Amino acid sequence: MARGRRRRPRNNSEEDMFGDYDNFYGNDSLIAHVADIEHKYLQDKNIHVKAAGEIVLGNLQSGVHQKEQDNFSASQNVVVLKEGACQMCDSDPADGNQELAESILDDLPSSQLLCFEKMDGLPSASRTSPISKGRDEHVNSFSDKIIDPLSFYAGAEHKNRPTDSSSHSTCVLFKSESLKDHLKSAMTGNARAQTLQVSKTKQLKEAVLSEEIFVARKAIESSSLDIGPFYGLPSKVKDLFRQLRGIETLYEWQHDCLMLESLQQRKNLIYSLPTGGGKTLVAEIIILQELLCRQKDVLMILPYVAIVQEKVRGLSSFGIELGFLVEEYAGSKGRFPPIKRRVKKSLYIATIEKGHALVNSLIETERIDDLGLVVVDELHMLGAGSRGAVLEITLAKILYTSKKTQIVGMSATLNNVGDLQKFLQAEYYTNNFRPVELKEYIKIQDTIYAVDSKTQNGFTFSHLLNFKYSSNLEKADPDHIIALVTEVIPKYSCLIFCPTKKNCENVVSMVSKYLKKEFRAHKEKEKQDLIKNLKSIGNGTLCPVLKQTIPFGIAYHHSGLTNDERKSIEEAYSAGVLCLLACTATLAAGVNLPARRVILRAPYVGNDFLKKNQYKQMTGRAGRAGIDSAGDSILIVQEKDKHLVQDLVHSPLENCYSNLLLELTKGIQSLLLSLVGLKIAVTHEEVDNFMGCTLLGVQQQLLSKEKSFSEIIKDGLENLIEKGLLKGRISEKDHNSKSTLTITPLGKATYKGSIDLAYCNILYRELKKGLEGLVLESNLHLLYLSTPYDMTSTCSPDWIIYLRQFNQLSAAEQKVADIVGVPESFITKMASGQAIRKNVDNAVVNRFYLTFVLYTLLKETNIWSVSGKFNLSRGYVQNLLNSAASFASCLLHFCEELEEFWVYKALLIELTKQLTYCVKTELIPLMEVAGVLEARAKQLYNAGYKTLAHLANANPETLVRMIEHLSRRQAKQIISSAKMLLSEKAEALQEEVEELLKVPMDIPGTH
């Protein structure tokens, strides 16, 4: 920077407004120097306007730094760098040019840079660079401390304009006033004007970002090999990955994958790498290219709600900095159809089910082409039961209805890739890269074998366990788990995968009993804080197993925990407070919790023998990049299972097969119904054509020979007509009948509400019956209608508790029991063990018992006390609550399509909200933020953060200081998520206002 530069105090006196101006040029007056330049260089009246601008600015800079000239174009108080923008941003921060540019912009009022705008009355567009011409206008929108760096770009339409400005090259530069007068006049105006709130340096940085995004867009549109500073993205993206993720460079395979010709040509892609290889980063870069460069919306489909919320938290910071929206579609969250944004683009992060509903709504509103990219994580989920069927349906619809939407799928465990490539019309990329070496072992008795699929046995001798066991310890721990875990903990982390939930708890209890007392001293204060936190979550109650194990840094992790407990344990493990977790297989496919060592307690998941895919997912958790230098996995095997494990080692990964036929009501029937409802295919012939494009169609040679594929489809359509969901006729003789099928109102409500076809008719009957006498004294009746059908089969009522709850009902509530068909006499007899003669529907009885659980839960809002009252695990109660919230949301969409059920709409909106959050009303605004659960919401509320705006404008350092057990990273994520949600809500309101104020095109008498 120029030395000796001083800033004089400014005042409002016009006399010394420019007198003795100490400028970056030395002691000379800036005005005087401009006059000299003008006199020297502008004698030729025919000099080009553009050249003049370069000379003036070039000479102003040359006094400090004799380097290349920087050309500036300015529009509406926004300074935009020309073609050199990308290079400047990538250069060293100490680079003279950048410092100089910043110093100029910091000290000169914007009107000095705009002085050329007024020259000879020429429009500004005639003097801007080819790149800056590409922008029609810059829209500035700043809302309460949330600055959108991309808003300078918002709404810009980039048209192919001529880049030659020679038509103006012979214009006379000045007519009546000299440049000196123009500059002085502009400076005077600027000095009188109100000071801009945003610094010029910040404007420059934001302008550079806008410029880079524009260049990147143009590069991608022209399929140019010059892809800009960071894979076609502004260098700010690279900085954000460094700041937020600690990622300095990409792995070689990631670079190769991003440079694939198929990606450049926007072909569909499947890529497969071992767990921990860095697949997600590639997906995120492709997503950002679509959002920022191609200006299209993106859908990211993830398998579980917890992963959706984690990803929403992780990408909100990018959205805030880069100017796109991140919208959560999970559980009961999500808007159908999504709001059509005029300016910002949206990244929809969705579970499989919500992703399907979102795609349906986009097809219905003819907006599917707005979706530029769909990314599917864990693509092998295509073979996973009903959820796989829904994922297949979603992808098939996108492929069939939009030729502009690119699909990218990733997985660690794929085998029959050929089928998937054919289905998705995709290229394939694979690599065996792992950033940390994984060593796989098998333990039989006290011998450790190294897994080696090249040998006949599948494993070779490695070493004997070296750990002295007493006879008591040998009895308690025959599998030598303590010997295996103490080799790594507490310095490193360890995961033990167990077949059942009960087994998880038994293992941690046993290990904590026999660990040495020294383990208690490791991070003792943090462990006490964790216990205190878990107690507050349970309103003073703590699981006795966790109370015993946490002081040793050990805990269990399975679906028996509440959401709040699970989150606390995950955070403690990630922070190193807990060093050992015993968990079920769901953790391997769920949250990202890596370990130095992974132990598989037995080659079973529940009662089923381990599959190769499951084995790979579990062992893949060992040794994650940036955390461990190495990783190992140990599978504990009994002698009787030795031959099965040998087969497991030699076997390939399982094939991925379509589940459309296996999952009849959620699979093929659901698909056929929505095809007709969305008018994708409305004749038997069209339906046949569509079905040929599904994974089932690709794999139809695997079907039994009893019926042809077309006959299976015909049977499905006839079944839907019988159920009253479709109308039409399918000719017996002519399979390619041209007769058109139409959807009935019930059929439309069923597919729009994502209701399982197995329950749609009974649901309709119960809602209809409710209209005859809906009891609204309490929400018991409405809760019964919102209790999910698919949980009744897992419910075993405790009849004593059932009777006790029944006796507490008011007269009006007992009337609800009569309406739904649960007589008191039946419950009394069941509780006393008497014989039952009366014929009662067990599914209804079980469902009403679950309704009691939900009813009590909404009154007490405490999962711990309710689980104790009904003798159920708190995890089961939590799962019931989550399922009920999701089903209530589906029920609402179902009722919206049937006019006769108008009365339910308002009631269900409120009930869905209550079930989603199940907390006191004042905490709901805070719990809308991704990842903020009840315990954290209470902490924030008590600390004075009572609204979304409070959180969005919070200081992360203050938040960490005021909220217990909150890391700086978590604080930043919460603030980013709150800003994103606030921005999203503000955008939605703005869209609504603009829609209301839009002048209709068809006003009578205007043509």
Side-chain angles (χ1 to χ4, degrees), residues 343-402:
V343 178
K344 291 186 178 181
K345 295 301 158 191
S346 289
L347 168 57
Y348 311 113
I349 304 181
T351 55
I352 292 169
E353 294 76 13
K354 288 288 178 179
H356 178 224
L358 178 67
V359 167
N360 278 349
S361 70
L362 290 173
I363 292 170
E364 187 178 26
T365 52
E366 298 181 349
R367 286 168 50 195
I368 191 67
D369 283 344
D370 291 351
L371 205 57
L373 173 70
V374 176
V375 172
V376 183
D377 195 10
E378 311 292 1
L379 187 64
H380 61 268
M381 290 286 288
L382 276 167
S386 62
R387 307 194 74 216
V390 174
L391 181 56
E392 181 181 343
I393 291 168
T394 307
L395 295 175
K397 284 177 180 172
I398 294 165
L399 287 162
Y400 197 84
T401 58
S402 174

Side-chain angles (χ1 to χ4, degrees), residues 210-223:
S210 298
E211 188 70 13
E212 287 188 358
I213 288 173
F214 181 74
V215 172
R217 279 185 205 154
K218 284 296 175 193
I220 284 177
E221 282 167 18
S222 61
S223 298

Side-chain angles (χ1 to χ4, degrees), residues 151-163:
S151 59
F152 296 110
Y153 245 84
E157 292 181 9
H158 313 298
K159 298 172 184 171
N160 297 322
R161 300 186 182 182
T163 55

Side-chain angles (χ1 to χ4, degrees), residues 75-76 80 131-140 148 150-161 210-211 213-215 217-218 221 291-296 341-345:
S75 168
Q76 296 181 11
V80 181
I131 290 172
S132 58
K133 281 181 189 177
R135 290 179 295 277
D136 289 343
E137 58 181 88
H138 298 281
V139 182
N140 290 285
D148 171 17
L150 287 187
S151 59
F152 296 110
Y153 245 84
E157 292 181 9
H158 313 298
K159 298 172 184 171
N160 297 322
R161 300 186 182 182
S210 298
E211 188 70 13
I213 288 173
F214 181 74
V215 172
R217 279 185 205 154
K218 284 296 175 193
E221 282 167 18
L291 289 164
L292 303 182
C293 303
R294 295 191 182 94
Q295 285 287 290
K296 289 280 191 178
R341 315 281 181 185
R342 284 184 177 79
V343 178
K344 291 186 178 181
K345 295 301 158 191

Side-chain angles (χ1 to χ4, degrees), residues 887-930:
F887 185 66
S889 169
C890 293
L891 191 59
L892 172 60
H893 295 304
F894 181 87
C895 291
E896 281 173 342
E897 295 304 318
L898 295 166
E899 205 173 312
E900 62 196 296
F901 294 148
W902 65 271
V903 70
Y904 288 115
K905 290 182 206 171
L907 297 169
L908 284 167
I909 288 170
E910 191 53 40
L911 184 69
T912 303
K913 191 183 271 192
Q914 285 178 25
L915 288 167
T916 300
Y917 301 109
C918 192
V919 291
K920 290 177 181 170
T921 313
E922 64 264 21
L923 297 181
I924 289 177
L926 301 176
M927 287 183 67
E928 286 181 334
V929 177

Side-chain angles (χ1 to χ4, degrees), residues 8 65 111 191 237 251 280 312 320 324 332 390 406 483 540 614 638 692 894 967:
R8 295 186 54 155
H65 222 287
S111 59
V237 174
Y251 297 129
T280 308
V312 169
I320 294 297
F324 61 86
S332 61
V390 174
Q406 184 183 19
Q614 293 169 327
Q638 305 305 320
F894 181 87
S967 70

Side-chain angles (χ1 to χ4, degrees), residues 815-930:
K815 190 181 171 189
V816 175
D818 292 336
I819 291 169
V820 302
V822 182
E824 186 179 2
S825 59
F826 175 80
I827 306 298
T828 306
K829 284 179 179 176
M830 289 297 289
S832 59
Q834 295 177 40
I836 307 292
R837 290 195 186 91
K838 199 169 182 180
N839 189 19
V840 173
D841 187 341
N842 282 327
V844 172
V845 173
N846 288 2
R847 192 165 174 232
F848 199 57
Y849 185 71
L850 293 177
T851 303
F852 273 144
V853 178
L854 291 169
Y855 183 55
T856 312
L857 197 52
L858 288 189
K859 281 201 290 190
E860 298 185 12
T861 68
N862 184 284
I863 288 173
W864 268 93
S865 66
V866 174
S867 63
K869 198 170 278 185
F870 285 87
N871 200 18
L872 295 166
S873 82
R874 58 196 187 282
Y876 182 86
V877 175
Q878 176 77 70
N879 188 32
L880 172 64
L881 181 63
N882 295 346
S883 298
S886 193
F887 185 66
S889 169
C890 293
L891 191 59
L892 172 60
H893 295 304
F894 181 87
C895 291
E896 281 173 342
E897 295 304 318
L898 295 166
E899 205 173 312
E900 62 196 296
F901 294 148
W902 65 271
V903 70
Y904 288 115
K905 290 182 206 171
L907 297 169
L908 284 167
I909 288 170
E910 191 53 40
L911 184 69
T912 303
K913 191 183 271 192
Q914 285 178 25
L915 288 167
T916 300
Y917 301 109
C918 192
V919 291
K920 290 177 181 170
T921 313
E922 64 264 21
L923 297 181
I924 289 177
L926 301 176
M927 287 183 67
E928 286 181 334
V929 177

